[in-house]
């Protein structure tokens, strides 16, 4: 269940006089959670806001306008408020809403991990002992926003968009550092409880106790706009490249061709199958129609998201005049029910496509109009969002537009969309059911450069003082060392931690071709505080070295089995221009984990980073270069990892990789 605000004088809030922790408004903070706008109540209210004083003399938050539909960021220090542009919230639609302030003059509103509003404003700090955070309006005023809230969290820091997306998908707090409040808002007597130690429960205005709202589900959402792929060539289609957005989980492809015998329907159906196979071997395949339109839908394999994918087409005929419109979706994990429909207008009567079998989900319609004489686009349909209007010219006809439209499915479980054409043009419709947020598992926080320290020396030494960041009990510190090997340094002795912690080897040592460099990694689990400083590692012989230490915070990894699958890889020769990470498979329960790679290179610096990886630290000491990187996407259970490649001028290298397991 969740908390419902639906009557005057209601509010859900925390308040310093009641013992709650509320940050100063002019310091960095983020507050985020699930939000559903239930009805237009036509009151000027603040949906969620931080107040600086008991009498509401200053605030910053999200304000609902008098139309009861549009909202805007608003900051008030007295006088006239500062306001942002407006954004329209859809009644009945669930969002993951976030408001944050960076401490430097920028306030943002995010929905489902994406920034939708931003404004320049510097709030007053507020009066210590009077500050509050409130949802659904101000508890002393009659105005309120009819809404349901659940799973809210607060940090004394600004989260990245990637972190916001992971919080949305996680049933427990994903980022635990700087976390000061976590309110699951579950049903029963605990629905107001805060899980953070020493924090009292949420308060509700006693004049009108807040009711329980219905459970939240989440809908798939559309990433960007469809990409237009021109298949028309004088020869065979050959291959085409599509850019897959980072968060893509599903793809819907609408394929159209002029109604001409030169482009047989069977060829277009073959093209649809090629699209499906390119993204996933478990796609639903192509659905052919009798009048010139095809659709394929398929899950996007983990390896494909965040990179370019080239589709190699198998059919041999020319597809002059044919085009494909490719639409990507996210948050389809856990969705099991889908429906599909397709129709084509005949030039006089528009076609109507229906897709049933789901209720309360998302409908996506791809609508293309063929008009040989006019550039008029299909008209918009009431209740649908047009996110693409474009055109492309084929050999046998003028393609006026492709349009993607979405809205929640009606309670009947059937959604209908109508082509707006005057000439032949197909429409495809796909629907996805909502999934429970409770089914979404947490993943490992993405490592950031601020949690990495680097050290090393290009002068040979028999004592290596490796720098490390500060840590608290429960944190994991992974030490990555690389060294030149002109003296046959085959082993390195590890120190104990400041509390007697013993190092555990993760992988290595691994030597490059000709044993020019070696690399190894270890981990420590802090049993008490670590002050930022150094720990001294002792090599078996004096050598040049470089190191990077990554801190993974408590609660962001599996404390019982911190590291999953591991592998190493040595260069095959001494003049390679690409240093490759190991190609290996994740463990059967490593899903949601983070793939990390450490590489050692002889003499050469890294001059180009691997695609779909983020480099956390890369330092060339001279004799040896060390690079620490994390893959952008989480691991999946038993996933076959392909090798990433870091470009160098030409030398030997050695890499090791491992999975940090999810909590």
């Amino acid at each position: 269940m969740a908390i419902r605000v639906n009557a005057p004088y209601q509010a859900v809030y925390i308040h310093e006089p009641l013992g709650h922790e509320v940050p100063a408004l002019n310091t960095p903070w983020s507050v985020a959670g699930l939000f559903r706008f239930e009805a237009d109540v036509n009151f000027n209210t603040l949906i969620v806001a931080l107040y600086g004083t008991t009498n509401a003399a200053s605030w910053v938050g999200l304000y609902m306008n008098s139309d009861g539909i549009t909202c805007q960021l608003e900051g008030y220090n007295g006088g006239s408020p500062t306001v942002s542009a407006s954004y329209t919230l859809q009644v009945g639609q669930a969002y993951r809403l976030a408001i944050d302030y960076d401490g430097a003059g920028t306030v943002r509103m995010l929905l489902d991990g994406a920034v939708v509003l931003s404004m320049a404003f510097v709030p007053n700090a507020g009066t210590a002992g009077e500050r509050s955070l409130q949802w659904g309006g101000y508890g002393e005023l009659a105005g309120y926003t009819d809404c349901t809230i659940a799973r809210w969290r607060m940090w004394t820091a600004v989260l990245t968009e990637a972190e916001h997306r992971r919080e949305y998908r996680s049933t427990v707090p994903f980022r635990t550092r700087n976390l000061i409040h976590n309110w699951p808002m579950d049903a029963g007597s605990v629905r107001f409880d805060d899980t953070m130690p020493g924090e009292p429960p949420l308060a509700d205005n006693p004049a009108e106790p807040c009711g329980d709202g219905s459970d939240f589900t989440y809908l798939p959402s559309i990433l960007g706009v469809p990409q237009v792929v021109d298949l028309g060539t004088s020869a065979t289609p050959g291959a085409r490249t599509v850019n897959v957005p980072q968060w893509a989980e599903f793809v819907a492809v609408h394929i159209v061709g002029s109604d001409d015998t030169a482009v047989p329907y069977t060829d277009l159906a073959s093209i649809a199958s090629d699209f499906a196979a390119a993204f996933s071997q478990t796609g639903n395949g192509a659905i052919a129609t009798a009048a010139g339109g095809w659709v394929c839908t398929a899950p996007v394999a983990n390896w494909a998201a965040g990179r370019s994918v080239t589709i190699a087409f198998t059919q041999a005929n020319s597809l002059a005049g044919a085009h494909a419109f490719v639409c990507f979706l996210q948050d389809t994990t856990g969705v099991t029910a889908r429906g599909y429909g397709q129709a084509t207008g005949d030039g006089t009567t528009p076609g109507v496509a229906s897709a049933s079998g789901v209720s309360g989900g998302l409908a996506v319609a791809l609508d293309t109009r063929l008009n040989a004489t006019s550039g008029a686009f299909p008209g918009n349909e009431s209740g649908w969002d047009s996110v693409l209007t474009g055109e492309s010219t084929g050999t046998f006809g003028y393609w006026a537009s492709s349009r993607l439209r979405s809205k929640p499915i009606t309670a009947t479980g059937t959604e209908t969309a109508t082509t707006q054409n005057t000439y032949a043009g197909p429409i495809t419709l796909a629907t996805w059911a909502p999934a429970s947020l409770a089914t979404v598992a947490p993943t490992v926080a993405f490592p950031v450069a601020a949690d990495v320290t680097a050290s090393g020396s290009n002068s040979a030494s028999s004592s290596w003082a490796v720098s490390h960041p500060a840590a608290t009990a429960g944190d994991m510190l992974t030490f990555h060392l690389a060294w030149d090997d002109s003296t046959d340094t085959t082993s390195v002795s590890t120190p104990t931690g400041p509390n007697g912690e013993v190092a555990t080897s993760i992988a290595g040592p691994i030597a490059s071709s000709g044993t020019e460099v070696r690399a190894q990694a270890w981990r420590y689990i802090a049993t008490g505080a670590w002050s930022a400083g150094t720990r001294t590692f002792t090599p078996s012989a004096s050598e040049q070295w470089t190191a990077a230490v990554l801190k993974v915070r408590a609660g962001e990894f599996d404390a019982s089995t911190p590291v999953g699958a591991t592998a190493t890889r040595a260069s095959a020769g001494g003049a390679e221009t690409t240093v490759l990470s190991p190609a290996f498979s994740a463990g059967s329960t490593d899903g949601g984990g983070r793939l990390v790679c450490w590489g050692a290179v002889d003499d050469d610096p890294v001059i180009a980073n691997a695609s779909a990886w983020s480099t956390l630290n890369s330092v060339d000491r001279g004799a040896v270069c060390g690079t620490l990187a994390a893959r952008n996407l989480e691991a999946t259970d038993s996933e076959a990892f392909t090798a990433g490649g870091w470009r160098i001028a030409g030398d030997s290298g050695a890499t090791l990789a491992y999975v940090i397991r999810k909590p």
Side-chain angles (χ1 to χ4, degrees):
M1 300 296 286
I3 295 175
R4 179 76 183 273
V5 177
N6 63 348
Y9 298 104
Q10 279 191 347
V12 180
Y13 61 95
I14 62 172
H15 196 195
E16 284 184 321
L18 299 179
H20 300 103
E21 180 181 357
V22 181
L25 275 59
N26 62 348
T27 61
W29 50 264
S30 298
V31 60
L34 300 175
F35 175 88
R36 184 169 56 238
F37 178 38
E38 302 288 5
D40 174 6
V41 295
N42 202 32
F43 278 114
N44 295 308
T45 54
L46 284 153
I47 297 173
V48 56
L50 268 71
Y51 294 87
T53 59
T54 303
N55 63 356
S58 64
W59 69 75
V60 59
L62 189 64
Y63 183 83
M64 177 64 73
N65 288 310
S66 59
D67 60 12
I69 297 175
T70 60
C71 63
Q72 62 195 28
L73 291 169
E74 185 163 302
Y76 180 72
N77 289 328
S80 298
T82 299
V83 299
S84 69
S86 62
Y87 186 89
T88 301
L89 294 174
Q90 299 298 320
V91 174
Q93 184 164 335
Y95 300 97
R96 184 180 184 276
L97 170 64
I99 310 294
D100 63 30
Y101 177 66
D102 64 358
T106 300
V107 182
R108 303 187 304 171
M109 170 191 176
L110 300 92
L111 291 179
D112 302 338
V115 178
V116 295
L117 291 178
S118 179
M119 74 172 185
F121 178 71
V122 179
N124 292 335
T127 302
E130 294 188 13
R131 291 183 287 255
S132 65
L133 166 65
Q134 304 201 24
W135 294 264
Y138 193 69
E140 303 304 318
L141 301 177
Y144 70 98
T145 299
D146 191 344
C147 62
T148 298
I149 57 175
R151 200 181 294 172
W152 279 76
R153 299 158 192 168
M154 189 174 195
W155 298 262
T156 53
V158 174
L159 274 62
T160 66
E161 291 183 39
E163 287 175 320
H164 276 296
R165 287 181 185 271
R166 291 184 178 91
E167 290 291 335
Y168 169 56
R169 293 159 173 256
S170 181
T171 56
V172 297
F174 179 78
R175 173 171 170 161
T176 56
R177 62 185 183 276
N178 307 112
L179 180 70
I180 59 172
H181 294 294
N182 174 48
W183 302 286
M185 301 181 182
D186 292 329
S189 61
V190 299
R191 66 193 180 100
F192 287 98
D193 285 1
D194 191 334
T195 67
M196 301 304 288
E199 277 294 322
L202 286 164
D204 64 315
N205 192 301
E208 294 285 349
C210 297
D212 282 326
S214 60
D215 285 333
F216 275 86
T217 57
Y218 75 100
L219 295 176
S221 53
I222 300 159
L223 289 170
V225 299
Q227 298 176 47
V228 181
V229 180
D230 186 350
L231 300 171
T233 61
S234 58
T236 60
R240 297 289 189 275
T241 298
V242 174
N243 295 319
V244 184
Q246 169 145 356
W247 302 97
E249 294 177 354
F250 213 85
V251 64
V253 184
H254 174 63
I255 300 163
V256 291
S258 62
D259 194 4
D260 189 285
T261 55
V263 186
Y265 296 145
T266 54
D267 289 343
L268 294 185
S270 171
I271 290 292
S273 297
D274 292 336
F275 269 104
F279 296 109
S280 171
Q281 297 303 312
T282 59
N284 291 303
I287 303 172
T289 67
W294 281 259
V295 61
C296 77
T297 59
V300 172
N302 189 63
W303 60 265
R307 63 175 62 184
S308 296
V309 171
T310 298
I311 299 96
F313 299 112
T314 56
Q315 68 87 41
N317 295 323
S318 170
L319 292 180
H323 290 78
F325 300 91
V326 186
C327 166
F328 291 98
L329 294 93
Q330 65 176 342
D331 298 324
T332 59
T333 302
V335 173
T336 56
R338 304 183 183 92
Y340 307 97
Q342 196 162 27
T344 301
D346 61 7
T348 302
T349 303
V352 177
S354 279
S356 61
V358 301
S359 180
L362 176 83
V364 174
L366 292 163
D367 187 2
T368 305
R369 173 181 170 184
L370 171 61
N371 189 329
T373 60
S374 171
F377 300 124
N380 195 19
E381 188 171 334
S382 176
W384 291 70
D385 299 323
S386 173
V387 297
L388 174 69
T389 298
E391 62 184 52
S392 54
T393 302
T395 303
F396 296 98
Y398 185 88
W399 297 96
S401 74
S402 179
R403 187 183 303 278
L404 181 148
R405 299 174 295 192
S406 66
K407 69 175 182 178
I409 301 299
T410 61
T412 62
T414 301
E415 190 54 71
T416 299
T418 304
T419 56
Q420 301 288 326
N421 61 307
T422 54
Y423 289 84
I427 184 170
T428 63
L429 182 69
T431 57
W432 286 264
S436 170
L437 281 163
T439 65
V440 184
T443 54
V444 175
F446 193 82
V448 294
D451 287 335
V452 178
T453 57
S455 52
S457 175
N458 201 39
S459 298
S461 171
S462 59
S463 179
W464 300 345
V466 179
S467 298
H468 62 78
T472 58
D475 291 350
M476 177 169 68
L477 293 163
T478 55
F479 284 70
H480 311 83
L481 271 74
W483 58 92
D484 193 48
D485 203 29
S486 60
T487 57
D488 196 23
T489 304
T490 57
S491 64
V492 176
S493 298
T494 59
T496 58
N499 308 293
E501 298 93 343
V502 177
T504 299
S505 179
I506 295 176
I510 174 68
S512 69
S513 173
T515 61
E516 292 182 316
V517 290
R518 295 182 196 256
Q520 189 167 1
W522 300 261
R523 65 172 175 84
Y524 293 82
I525 304 296
T527 59
W530 286 48
S531 299
T534 62
R535 310 306 293 175
T536 300
F537 288 67
T538 305
S540 60
S542 182
E543 198 54 88
Q544 297 101 325
W545 63 282
T546 189
V549 178
L550 169 66
K551 176 173 65 175
V552 185
R553 299 172 190 269
E556 296 181 356
F557 64 93
D558 183 349
S560 60
T561 309
V563 174
T566 66
T568 59
R569 184 169 191 158
S571 59
E576 295 189 357
T577 57
T578 301
V579 176
L580 297 172
S581 64
F584 65 110
S585 293
S588 60
T589 59
D590 283 350
R594 180 64 57 189
L595 181 60
V596 175
C597 181
W598 170 246
V601 180
D602 184 51
D603 293 334
D604 288 357
V606 170
I607 56 179
N609 296 321
S611 174
W613 289 70
S614 293
T615 296
L616 304 176
N617 186 268
S618 184
V619 178
D620 178 28
R621 303 289 175 187
V624 60
C625 171
T627 297
L628 182 65
R631 196 180 70 159
N632 294 338
L633 295 174
E634 297 93 350
T636 57
D637 289 341
S638 304
E639 178 187 353
F641 298 130
T642 57
W646 287 263
R647 195 154 56 86
I648 60 175
D651 217 309
S652 66
T655 57
L656 60 88
Y658 59 94
V659 176
I660 302 174
R661 287 170 51 85
K662 72 179 182 183

